[in-house]
């Protein structure tokens, strides 16, 4: 039996499977099976009222999960699916509360990774609901996995099988757009930018207004290493690194500029000075620095421009949760 067939068997048996997507790896369960979905929360240590994204094989499955679907949802699906865009829609009756966290909406996405798509198609072909509920396959609040090894490191035996689809192409979680209220609202920035959404359908999404955390990916502290973190402007870096060296402490620097001098005791992790490539490498770099045995992870401040919005969002939440 090949790995996809094994994964389908496990999903049907109510077990968890690690799934590669183009954004990050997911921890998948049969979305129509509340007992299976409950295992996700246990494995992640995630609060039960946090809703999950349901992954579907194509936009033709939207009506299985959502009602009152606006035309805009179909237009966006046409332009961006399969791909890193999650749409929040009014839930259909019968969607388990375990998936929606008891809300009247459901998050849906067709992932743009060949392994995930093949799994979803094969799973749907067995006659089930064809939906796989999957949050990122990390422990709650921690760094999302972008390789199969990261998933095993995060979750160990809690997951029966991890499908290895190689390193994730995008590297940060999908853009989440709420279409359930009449006005499109951007709940989580991602690879698909507000400008791309506007170019596709003419509507520029609004920023979220409610303070309530509807999405754990929108909590203040998330995506965080265990090592303390600090953000520093590039121009102030040499001074901070000198001071740390003098007090006998080592830093891991998440940088997009060249190191100021050689021979420092610090670990310099160089990322590309371009937001899409930076996002691709971000989580693996954070994970590496978190394991480097340094006293502090220093993030060189990134540009404050729309192109860097999604990276800035992940870094801000990592900074808020680090060292916990
Ligand atoms: O790229 C991704 O979206 C990855 C891959 C695996 O697909 N998944 C992911 O899942 O990031 P997770 O659970 O780590 O983040 C999904 C976010 C959560 O913050 C969740 O609260 C939000 O989506 N979400 C899901 N359903 C929602 C709903 N009905 N209303 C508001 N937010 C929702
Ligand atoms: Mg997550």
């Amino acid at each position: 039996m090949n790995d996809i067939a094994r994964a389908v068997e496990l999903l049907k048996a109510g077990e968890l499977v690690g799934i590669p997507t183009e954004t990050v790896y997911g921890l998948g369960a049969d979305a129509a099976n509340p007992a299976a979905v409950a295992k996700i929360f246990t494995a992640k240590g995630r609060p039960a009222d946090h809703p999950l994204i349901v992954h579907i094989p194509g936009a033709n499955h939207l009506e299985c999960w959502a009602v009152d679907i606006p035309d805009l949802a179909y237009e966006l699906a046409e332009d961006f699916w399969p791909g890193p865009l999650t749409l929040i829609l009014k839930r259909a009756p019968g969607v388990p509360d375990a998936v929606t966290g008891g809300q009247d909406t459901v998050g849906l996405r067709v992932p743009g990774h060949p392994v995930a798509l093949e799994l979803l198609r094969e799973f749907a072909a067995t006659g089930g609901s064809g939906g796989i509920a999957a949050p990122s396959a990390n422990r709650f609040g921690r760094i999302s996995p972008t390789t199969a090894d990261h998933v095993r490191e995060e979750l160990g035996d809690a997951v029966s099988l991890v499908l290895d689809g190689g390193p994730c192409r995008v590297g940060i979680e999908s853009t989440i757009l709420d279409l359930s209220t009449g006005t499109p609202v951007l709940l989580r920035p991602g690879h698909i930018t507000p400008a791309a959404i506007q170019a596709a359908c003419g509507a520029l999404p609004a920023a979220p207004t409610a303070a309530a955390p509807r999405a754990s990916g929108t909590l203040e502290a998330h995506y965080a290493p265990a090592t303390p973190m600090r953000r520093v402007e590039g121009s102030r870096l040499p001074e901070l690194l000198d001071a740390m060296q003098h007090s006998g402490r080592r830093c891991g620097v998440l940088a997009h500029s060249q190191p100021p001098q050689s021979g420092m005791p610090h670990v310099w992790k160089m990322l590309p000075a371009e937001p899409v490539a930076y996002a691709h490498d971000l989580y693996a770099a954070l994970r590496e620095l978190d394991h480097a045995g340094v006293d502090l992870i220093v993030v060189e401040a990134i540009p404050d421009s729309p192109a860097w919005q999604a990276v800035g969002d992940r870094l801000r939440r990592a900074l808020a949760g680090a060292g916990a």
Side-chain angles (χ1 to χ4, degrees):
M1 197 187 283
N2 69 26
D3 275 355
I4 298 276
R6 263 181 72 211
V8 169
E9 287 303 309
L10 287 165
L11 290 170
K12 283 171 67 82
E15 298 299 330
L16 304 182
V17 175
I19 300 168
T21 85
E22 80 282 32
T23 58
V24 300
Y25 274 71
L27 179 63
D30 179 354
N33 178 344
V37 172
K39 289 183 186 169
I40 293 177
F41 291 89
T42 309
K44 279 188 61 113
R46 174 166 163 148
D49 61 346
H50 285 231
L52 303 173
I53 294 171
V54 178
H55 299 72
I56 52 177
N60 56 337
H61 279 243
L62 274 173
E63 292 86 7
C64 304
W65 300 93
V67 292
D68 299 340
I69 304 169
D71 291 344
L72 183 56
Y74 292 103
E75 288 164 24
L76 291 169
E78 179 73 29
D79 281 325
F80 295 113
W81 282 355
L85 177 68
T86 296
L87 300 178
I88 307 296
L89 297 167
K90 292 246 161 55
R91 75 193 261 186
V95 179
D97 279 342
V99 169
T100 66
Q103 304 192 50
D104 60 358
T105 54
V106 61
L108 294 159
R109 150 171 138 82
V110 179
H113 190 292
V115 173
L117 280 174
E118 191 185 343
L119 176 65
L120 283 160
R121 289 184 188 129
E122 295 291 322
F123 183 56
T126 63
S129 67
I132 299 178
S136 50
N138 51 283
R139 281 168 297 123
F140 181 65
R142 294 301 180 189
I143 305 167
S144 301
T146 53
T147 68
D149 279 346
H150 294 169
V151 179
R152 293 190 200 98
E153 183 183 310
E154 285 286 322
L155 300 170
D157 293 341
V159 46
S160 317
L161 170 69
V162 181
L163 293 175
D164 193 340
C168 300
R169 180 171 56 79
V170 173
I172 55 171
E173 304 77 0
S174 60
T175 304
I176 302 183
L177 193 64
D178 187 351
L179 298 183
S180 70
T181 62
T183 313
V185 177
L186 183 71
L187 293 184
R188 182 173 71 184
H191 182 75
I192 293 178
T193 59
I197 291 167
Q198 184 179 33
C201 65
L204 190 65
T209 46
R214 302 184 69 196
S216 55
T218 63
L219 289 177
E220 272 320 307
H222 216 72
Y223 316 118
T227 312
M229 276 175 83
R230 195 174 145 186
R231 170 189 177 279
V232 175
E233 292 297 335
S235 59
R236 310 290 305 270
L237 254 176
E239 176 187 337
L240 171 71
L241 295 178
D242 265 355
M244 289 291 285
Q245 182 170 357
H246 279 116
S247 62
R249 285 175 296 165
R250 277 174 81 229
C251 297
V253 188
L254 194 66
H256 52 276
S257 313
Q258 295 297 332
Q261 65 197 68
S262 55
M264 294 182 309
H266 309 299
V267 180
W268 197 269
K269 187 71 202 173
M270 184 80 184
L271 295 187
E274 187 283 317
V276 171
Y278 188 110
H280 176 270
D281 294 350
L282 171 60
Y283 288 147
L286 269 181
R287 202 171 273 275
E288 187 181 320
L289 291 178
D290 202 20
H291 292 166
V294 296
D295 300 292
L296 180 68
I297 296 174
V298 180
V299 180
E300 178 185 2
I302 56 159
D304 182 19
S305 67
W308 285 88
Q309 184 189 15
V311 165
D313 170 80
R314 303 309 188 277
L315 284 176
R316 206 169 47 250
R317 295 180 210 287
L319 282 156

